[in-house]
Amino acid sequence: MSTLEKPWSGRFTEPTDAFVEAFTASVSFDQRLYAYDIMGSIAHAKMLSRVGVLTADECQQIETGLNEIKQEIENGTLQWSIALEDVHMNVETRLTQKIGNIGKKLHTGRSRNDQVATDIRLYLRHEIDLIIEALTRLLTALANRAEQEAETILPGFTHLQSAQPITFGHHLLAWCEMLVRDRARLQDCRKRVNSMPLGAAALAGTTYPIDRYYTAELLGFESVAENSLDAVSDRDFAIEFSSAAALIMMHLSRFSEELVLWSSSQFDFIELSDAFCTGSSIMPQKKNPDVPELVRGKTGRVYGHLFSLLTLMKSQPLAYNKDNQEDKEPIFDIVDTLKGSLRVYADMIPSMRVKHENMRNAALRGFTTATDLADYLVGKGVPFRDAHEIVGKSVRYCVENRCSLESLSLELLQSFSDLIQADVHAALTLEGSIAARNHVGGTAPVQVRAAIQRLRSRL
Ligand code: ARG
């Protein structure tokens, strides 16, 4: 038996196998929950005192002891012990070392099962708030950038082929819409995270006259879990959070892919500032877009964690099973990865250099205003399908003769349709094309500016 007596050792006659002790311990990673564990314990003790299970003095001693333990943890003096398995038993044992037998009363009317479920929910609630803040910060950076680029023209792509001219402001606002939905998903998930398991005890509730609403109020929970079996066992709230996180990473991976492509000499639309790139140890000319590449790569680990959690929960019979101890590392890593990715993005966007000329030149290639010519013909009474055909022929002429649509003379254009008149050239310019898409959700600079105002009011 290890030097430290285990709180559950009463019914055992043989010591834990040394390897099993290490194998089953979670303290190396769940010590991260210490602040929430202590917060939950103080609230639990206060509730026990209020309903007369602990005296006011006992409660006070417990609270003081726990606050001191928090200090010990924060200044690195608490000795974590694997023999004490997890953060809960480490803290409780330390409390008894400090205040004696009264410390042993803290666990009255609860179990590590409802305790750990409470700790993770408190932790996740706090982290969700920080992630929402990080998303808002990134959204603000993107909105500011979109405002600067409200008139910047680049080709929009479908199938990664130049399609139609768009404004860069509009393009950036597309990412904003995705991130706004991501934020709403987290806000919604927070409601289900913020429900209190405490009181469920091991699985069936407790014989003490507990006041769960009081504990919930102390801990800021919006509700108390209705069913004790459900409260200690399900981790669906963590899976839901992970799905929301996976969607955010999916969006960032798409964004990253563009930044990587656009940094290449083939596109050459943007230059990330040196602070967000690294060089090559062999090729002196290289400046690599490491940050977006890494965010793209880190998306994989978040997806992996989501799948770990789904699989962890799959087929688990009611109620608590030790399997659930495996929920923590994926959750922690998702939180760290997500916060890191959002932070680095919010820092990177304002310092990104946009190469306006290159964007514009790219938009001039690839017949991006062909649809505008078709729309022009529709305006002259040609049915859209026929207009499409006429423009297709003029594009083919341009391909064969290596020229652009807007460089064709009026006479030449009239050889494709005699309805074409001198006003056609206005429709064929990049500015004419974007300005014409002047409706809610369109790419015209005036619409982009209005969309930024609406976005800001939502932030
Ligand atoms: N370390 C455990 C976990 O993370 C705490 C709950 C343990 N409960 C138990 N009955 N062994 O899930």
Side-chain angles (χ1 to χ4, degrees):
M1 174 77 81
S2 316
T3 45
L4 282 161
E5 182 82 357
K6 295 183 198 312
W8 43 252
S9 62
R11 67 99 67 214
F12 287 75
T13 52
E14 278 186 73
T16 317
D17 176 274
F19 181 73
V20 169
E21 187 169 271
F23 186 76
T24 53
S26 54
V27 66
S28 63
F29 50 86
D30 68 13
Q31 53 180 269
R32 187 161 163 162
L33 295 172
Y34 78 90
Y36 306 100
D37 196 66
I38 287 173
M39 187 192 298
S41 288
I42 291 175
H44 178 65
K46 284 186 170 161
M47 181 279 289
L48 289 179
S49 150
R50 185 179 161 104
V51 301
V53 174
L54 292 178
T55 67
D57 177 58
E58 287 169 336
C59 176
Q60 189 52 58
Q61 291 195 51
I62 288 174
E63 184 175 357
T64 307
L66 286 169
N67 280 325
E68 284 170 18
I69 295 170
K70 187 163 183 242
Q71 287 306 311
E72 291 173 12
I73 295 170
E74 283 167 5
N75 57 37
T77 54
L78 185 107
Q79 288 289 317
W80 296 103
S81 156
I82 281 190
L84 293 173
E85 221 174 296
D86 52 27
V87 61
H88 324 293
M89 294 205 295
N90 270 269
V91 170
E92 193 191 327
T93 303
R94 179 73 189 124
L95 182 66
T96 302
Q97 280 173 2
K98 287 172 76 78
I99 67 170
N101 281 339
I102 293 169
K104 295 184 183 167
K105 296 191 174 186
L106 170 62
H107 213 51
T108 312
R110 78 170 181 189
S111 151
R112 278 185 295 152
N113 297 351
D114 57 345
Q115 187 179 357
V116 69
T118 303
D119 291 3
I120 312 166
R121 285 172 183 268
L122 288 171
Y123 161 80
L124 210 47
R125 183 181 73 188
H126 179 64
E127 294 297 341
I128 286 174
D129 289 342
L130 295 180
I131 293 166
I132 288 174
E133 259 176 56
L135 271 169
T136 307
R137 190 169 153 249
L138 173 55
L139 279 162
T140 306
L142 286 169
N144 293 342
R145 199 74 220 222
E147 192 165 45
Q148 291 162 16
E149 312 293 349
E151 313 212 5
T152 306
I153 296 177
L154 79 164
F157 299 91
T158 60
H159 312 266
L160 204 56
Q161 312 291 313
S162 291
Q164 290 173 348
I166 56 170
T167 52
F168 190 39
H170 190 58
H171 190 97
L172 290 170
L173 288 179
W175 297 119
C176 291
E177 285 305 307
M178 296 175 226
L179 296 173
V180 166
R181 289 195 296 275
D182 289 333
R183 204 176 57 151
R185 266 185 282 273
L186 284 176
Q187 283 158 342
D188 198 52
C189 164
R190 189 190 193 280
K191 295 181 211 150
R192 282 174 291 278
V193 168
N194 201 18
S195 174
M196 188 187 76
L198 268 185
L203 74 164
T206 175
T207 55
Y208 299 93
I210 56 172
D211 181 349
R212 300 183 69 208
Y213 294 106
Y214 180 63
T215 322
E217 190 188 313
L218 291 177
L219 293 172
F221 280 113
E222 279 169 58
S223 61
V224 303
E226 277 288 337
N227 180 287
S228 63
L229 301 172
D230 173 47
V232 290
S233 63
D234 208 344
R235 296 291 182 267
D236 60 351
F237 66 92
I239 298 175
E240 189 179 344
F241 165 74
S242 307
S243 326
L247 284 174
I248 297 174
M249 292 304 294
M250 178 274 288
H251 287 146
L252 291 183
S253 80
R254 296 181 62 193
F255 199 168
S256 296
E257 176 76 1
E258 284 190 346
L259 296 183
V260 171
L261 281 172
W262 291 4
S263 302
S264 70
S265 59
Q266 286 71 20
F267 271 89
D268 206 17
F269 282 3
I270 56 162
E271 184 178 356
L272 299 176
S273 82
D274 287 357
F276 295 87
C277 298
T278 64
S280 156
S281 55
I282 175 168
M283 296 168 283
Q285 85 284 10
K286 291 286 291 270
K287 177 174 164 183
N288 298 324
D290 293 53
V291 165
E293 289 174 88
L294 259 182
V295 169
R296 190 175 62 184
K298 283 176 188 291
T299 305
R301 66 200 269 168
V302 173
Y303 288 8
H305 294 318
L306 167 61
F307 224 79
S308 297
L309 292 171
L310 280 167
T311 313
L312 174 70
M313 206 66 242
K314 177 186 176 290
S315 312
Q316 266 197 49
L318 286 173
Y320 175 85
N321 299 282
K322 184 78 166 181
D323 311 42
N324 282 347
Q325 181 164 289
E326 288 288 308
D327 65 352
K328 285 164 210 64
E329 289 162 292
I331 297 175
F332 294 156
D333 192 62
I334 290 173
V335 165
D336 294 343
T337 306
L338 191 53
K339 283 201 305 195
S341 303
L342 289 170
R343 176 188 163 159
V344 78
Y345 250 81
D347 292 342
M348 182 174 65
I349 294 300
S351 64
M352 170 177 87
R353 187 158 79 85
V354 177
K355 300 188 174 178
H356 298 112
E357 268 311 297
N358 294 352
M359 284 185 168
R360 187 184 167 82
N361 288 335
L364 286 170
R365 295 188 299 269
F367 315 105
T368 56
T369 54
T371 316
D372 297 272
L373 180 55
D375 290 342
Y376 170 88
L377 288 167
V378 170
K380 303 281 178 192
V382 182
F384 183 77
R385 272 294 148 233
D386 294 340
H388 189 284
E389 175 75 14
I390 292 167
V391 178
K393 285 185 175 136
S394 31
V395 167
R396 193 190 330 144
Y397 176 90
C398 291
V399 171
E400 282 160 4
N401 292 278
R402 304 180 132 270
C403 62
S404 66
L405 274 178
E406 50 276 35
S407 69
L408 298 183
S409 67
L410 185 56
E411 292 69 32
L412 200 58
L413 283 167
Q414 283 170 340
S415 72
F416 298 107
S417 166
D418 54 14
L419 291 168
I420 297 179
Q421 282 147 22
D423 58 350
V424 70
H425 284 108
L428 291 182
T429 64
L430 296 178
E431 282 72 14
S433 170
I434 59 162
R437 285 163 171 76
N438 186 9
H439 53 78
V440 171
T443 195
V446 14
Q447 292 296 337
V448 170
R449 291 204 174 86
I452 292 168
Q453 291 322 311
R454 290 193 301 271
L455 172 65
R456 286 191 174 136
S457 73
R458 285 189 282 165
L459 300 182

